Amino acid sequence: MSEYDPFDELPEVDLLPAYLRASAASAGKTYGELSYNKRSRSWVIKGEPIVCQMAKRLFPGCDGKGRGVARFPANRRNAGDLHWLMLRYPLAVRPTDAARWEQALQDARDYAAARERARCAPQVLDPSPAFFRGQLMPFQREGAAYLVNTPRALLADEMGLGKTVQALAAVAELQAYPLLLVVPPHLVTNWQREIRSFLRNADGSEPTVHVLRGLKPYDLPCAQIYIVHYLLLRGWKQALPKLDFAAVIFDEIQELRHSGTEKYSAASLVAEKAPRVIGLSGTPIYNRGGEIWNVINILDFHALGDWESFTREWCYGYGNNIVAKPELLGETLREEGYMLRRTKDAVLDQLPPKRRLVQEIDADDAVYRELMIPAMEALRRLRDARTNFDRARIEDEICQRMRRATGMAKAPYVAAFVRALLEGGEKVLLFAHHHGVMDAYRTALAGAHPVFVTGRETAAQKDRAVDAFMSGKTDLCCISMRAAAGLNLQRATCVVFGELDWSPAVHTQAEDRAHRMGQKDSVLCYYLVSPRGSDAQMQEALGLKVSQFVQLMGDTVPSEGEALRLQQEAREHIRILAEQLAQRMEAEQAETRHKSRGETAK
């Protein structure tokens, strides 16, 4: 594990505020008793009116119900506040709770010292190349340092600024294994890919990864990284907290913005046990600012006080979750070290005009297999083909069926990805190739009121779709890649390719619908790919082989000779696709025959 603390030589006392250095012990008068309540996880003062009145007046996190009683949720900040109060009004700690109080006070001191170290520590991080592959942009180096310096942190950078890679850089630097990743279902595959792309062990091997399956807990194999999606958390509620994770990362932590669910309860339990907890979200707050209380509560229990005190002081009264001054709350979260957020505008000078990001998503295998049934018959015809012309024609047919099956199998996951972008305030151009895939988007994204330019519309319908997007009536325009020429849609902030084309020029032209001459923004272009189907060969043809920001495709119109070369390369990839499909079919038939012989022998 890498040590990231250049201030070990400083005396611990120098890192502490004065009120945590002094001792609250007193041989004189005491004003009451301090005890711990396990059920409410709180420290309880039972004492004279003067001390209870002072506690309730000074500390908004203090529960004010009951005369002569004051309750503080048990966390590191409140332990420090209690100690400060006891300097003025000494309390007798109940003997059975004395050891717990000493530990709570030590935790408060350790926390204060860690915050001071973080304030003084290096503000940029270059992760060790022994454990991390890749280069970080300057603002990403700052974000990675923040995560290393802050044991419980929310990285709330705007979407597209690389929160995943910053989190992985921090994991690499800290060697924070075993690590638990809690992610949305459609991002499980992408996290696996990102881990392979960026993390390494000292011996050059890849970290071992296990993806949890099903709601019923089982004995987990030994691994460095465990991945579970949010829908499975409730089933693992009792099992996960028993495991000694060095760190937990909640990706898209806004999934936990609503409390009172088994998912939230399970997340809270596993976070409480882990020494490091990282939340990632470009949109930690949705409609109501009070939802941030639930998010921060996962990272650090009652860091913003209990719900009643939070709503009383920050919102419009008890139980109301509309924050009165959201800007002030955001400023407080940043000052207290809980949140780091950078917008695209703030780091625009570090970004290229266009950023290409390859992101792997899941696909529905059942849909893919069903749509590939006709391709099996085409493969049989391919074996009997007599001429190169016939072979090329059948290979094209197989390729088209495979491309359509790939697009349809990905469609629900592409839609989920686009919904996340829209919820983050992005204006999205969604590109695809097949009409059937477009129709799937139309159904899955109906709530976003998308408009379509697919080549099936009249000129008037096309113009109305463009006007609706550019005027802000909708933030989603779905476009067929080969129908994109001539469109001017520079209002877009994100371009998403739900399907791929063989030609780099087609993609460049589609990207340029958003990235127009004179635009000062940095447009983010997502290439959503599936590990199964035609995407792998098409990625190879396009040069999109890495799951990080890429700038590989040419942005100029290819010459006639270059176009011919690209066409020949595409033809070779199509041949390989057909060949790979034939090999898989033969392997499946051989396995079926083997199983059949085994059954006959029985």
Side-chain angles (χ1 to χ4, degrees):
M1 179 171 176
S2 175
E3 293 295 331
Y4 197 78
D5 187 359
F7 296 93
D8 279 339
E9 68 275 9
L10 294 178
E12 186 77 3
V13 69
D14 290 345
L15 298 173
L16 295 178
Y19 73 91
L20 281 174
R21 299 180 200 171
S23 171
S26 173
K29 174 180 173 60
T30 59
Y31 290 79
E33 182 185 64
L34 180 69
S35 62
Y36 182 75
N37 186 297
K38 291 183 180 180
R39 177 175 295 181
S40 62
R41 292 195 290 175
S42 60
W43 289 102
V44 182
I45 298 173
K46 291 185 179 179
E48 296 182 15
I50 183 65
V51 66
C52 293
Q53 180 185 26
M54 186 67 70
K56 295 170 186 178
R57 188 169 69 189
L58 291 179
F59 303 110
C62 177
D63 184 350
K65 294 179 182 178
R67 181 184 301 136
V69 178
R71 296 179 179 84
F72 287 76
N75 61 49
R76 296 164 299 184
R77 291 172 186 247
N78 282 346
D81 290 342
L82 262 173
H83 182 73
W84 178 80
L85 180 68
M86 289 164 66
L87 292 175
R88 173 63 180 85
Y89 298 103
L91 299 170
V93 180
R94 181 181 291 176
T96 55
D97 295 323
R100 184 189 291 270
W101 171 245
E102 287 301 319
Q103 184 59 55
L105 189 55
Q106 185 57 48
D107 290 344
R109 286 171 171 149
D110 291 344
Y111 177 67
R115 286 196 60 205
E116 184 63 16
R117 284 193 186 95
R119 190 182 67 80
C120 301
Q123 298 303 301
V124 295
L125 170 66
D126 287 311
S128 169
F131 303 116
F132 184 81
R133 332 174 210 250
Q135 297 294 320
L136 300 180
M137 299 181 191
F139 73 89
Q140 292 174 330
R141 293 166 60 213
E142 294 170 2
Y146 164 75
L147 295 178
V148 167
N149 294 334
T150 312
R152 292 175 176 266
L154 172 61
L155 182 60
D157 284 350
E158 196 171 59
M159 191 169 289
L161 296 186
K163 293 184 290 295
T164 298
V165 71
Q166 292 175 71
L168 291 178
V171 168
E173 183 68 14
L174 293 164
Q175 288 295 280
Y177 302 123
L179 168 70
L180 177 66
L181 282 168
V182 186
V183 307
H186 67 281
L187 293 181
V188 170
T189 303
N190 187 68
W191 270 97
Q192 291 176 276
R193 182 184 178 120
E194 299 291 83
I195 290 166
R196 291 193 300 269
S197 296
F198 290 107
L199 295 185
R200 68 200 310 175
N201 294 318
D203 61 3
S205 64
E206 294 178 0
T208 52
V209 178
H210 177 74
V211 179
L212 277 65
R213 305 293 183 187
L215 287 167
K216 186 177 180 179
Y218 52 87
D219 291 335
L220 294 175
C222 183
Q224 291 169 278
I225 301 174
Y226 298 88
I227 303 178
V228 61
H229 66 69
Y230 283 102
L231 299 181
L232 298 184
L233 269 185
R234 59 188 175 89
W236 290 81
K237 178 179 177 180
Q238 302 302 326
L240 289 177
K242 297 176 182 177
L243 305 176
D244 293 326
F245 295 112
V248 178
I249 296 177
F250 292 99
D251 188 23
E252 303 295 348
I253 196 174
Q254 74 274 6
E255 292 276 340
L256 301 173
R257 66 190 184 277
H258 299 304
S259 61
T261 65
E262 284 294 295
K263 175 175 71 173
Y264 189 90
S265 177
S268 179
L269 289 174
V270 74
E272 184 181 13
K273 288 292 296 295
R276 281 189 172 270
V277 184
I278 294 173
L280 304 177
S281 176
T283 53
I285 306 173
Y286 278 67
N287 298 324
R288 300 181 180 274
E291 294 171 354
I292 194 65
W293 184 89
N294 289 326
V295 170
I296 297 297
N297 217 41
I298 291 291
L299 298 176
D300 202 352
F301 180 70
H302 279 190
L304 295 177
D306 61 15
W307 176 244
E308 287 190 355
S309 65
F310 174 79
T311 54
R312 182 179 68 229
E313 299 301 326
W314 285 102
C315 305
Y316 291 102
Y318 287 107
N320 186 296
N321 62 357
I322 303 296
V323 175
K325 297 181 178 179
E327 297 83 5
L328 181 60
L329 177 56
E331 181 181 339
T332 299
L333 290 173
R334 289 188 289 271
E335 288 178 350
E336 292 296 315
Y338 278 121
M339 182 177 77
L340 176 66
R341 177 171 174 79
R342 281 80 56 88
T343 63
K344 185 170 56 178
D345 291 342
V347 297
L348 197 58
D349 60 337
Q350 299 179 34
L351 300 175
K354 281 195 294 189
R355 292 165 289 151
R356 294 182 174 115
L357 182 63
V358 181
Q359 183 143 333
E360 192 165 293
I361 61 171
D362 291 329
D364 190 323
D365 282 345
V367 169
Y368 181 81
R369 285 195 300 269
E370 181 179 354
L371 292 174
M372 284 301 292
I373 291 174
M376 301 301 109
E377 191 279 328
L379 276 175
R380 285 187 282 272
R381 288 191 281 113
L382 182 62
R383 291 171 180 165
D384 298 331
R386 302 293 185 185
T387 66
N388 289 337
F389 176 81
D390 288 338
R391 289 189 62 84
R393 179 175 52 81
I394 298 171
E395 286 171 351
D396 283 342
E397 178 188 343
I398 293 170
C399 175
Q400 286 301 322
R401 291 190 181 279
M402 189 177 290
R403 287 180 65 190
R404 183 175 183 276
T406 302
M408 292 297 293
K410 287 193 300 180
Y413 301 93
V414 171
F417 186 88
V418 169
R419 274 195 295 272
L421 290 176
L422 294 170
E423 288 170 351
E426 303 290 351
K427 287 76 175 173
V428 181
L429 303 184
L430 174 56
F431 286 94
H433 177 73
H434 293 91
H435 289 316
V437 174
M438 281 291 188
D439 292 339
Y441 295 160
R442 189 186 300 272
T443 300
L445 293 165
H449 309 293
V451 292
F452 289 81
V453 179
T454 67
R456 293 183 289 185
E457 298 80 14
T458 65
Q461 289 172 327
K462 177 179 175 181
D463 290 342
R464 284 197 296 271
V466 172
D467 290 342
F469 181 80
M470 290 301 293
S471 64
K473 294 177 182 177
T474 180
D475 289 332
L476 176 59
C477 184
C478 303
I479 310 172
S480 290
M481 282 186 281
R482 300 268 175 169
L487 297 179
N488 188 0
L489 297 165
Q490 68 267 32
R491 179 172 174 266
T493 57
C494 279
V495 173
V496 177
F497 292 100
E499 292 190 274
L500 303 181
D501 193 281
W502 289 109
S503 170
V506 169
H507 289 280
T508 299
Q509 184 184 70
E511 292 171 346
D512 285 345
R513 300 313 96 203
H515 183 257
R516 308 297 290 172
M517 185 70 70
Q519 186 180 47
K520 297 180 180 179
D521 202 353
S522 176
V523 176
L524 183 57
C525 305
Y526 282 104
Y527 288 75
L528 304 186
V529 300
S530 167
R532 182 168 185 176
S534 59
D535 280 354
Q537 283 298 319
M538 299 186 82
Q539 279 180 261
E540 185 81 22
L542 294 169
L544 299 171
K545 303 176 188 178
V546 290
S547 180
Q548 50 188 299
F549 292 121
V550 291
Q551 205 71 30
L552 301 180
M553 294 184 298
D555 287 336
T556 58
V557 178
S559 65
E560 186 175 339
E562 179 69 6
L564 180 60
R565 183 187 65 80
L566 292 172
Q567 186 178 0
Q568 291 171 341
E569 287 186 0
R571 164 56 54 196
E572 177 62 17
H573 285 296
I574 290 172
R575 186 193 64 76
I576 293 172
L577 272 179
E579 187 177 287
Q580 290 175 341
L581 185 61
Q583 291 172 352
R584 278 199 298 271
M585 187 178 75
E586 289 174 0
E588 290 171 1
Q589 289 174 343
E591 184 178 354
T592 301
R593 288 194 297 270
H594 177 73
K595 288 181 179 179
S596 178
R597 284 196 296 270
E599 291 296 323
T600 302
K602 290 180 181 179

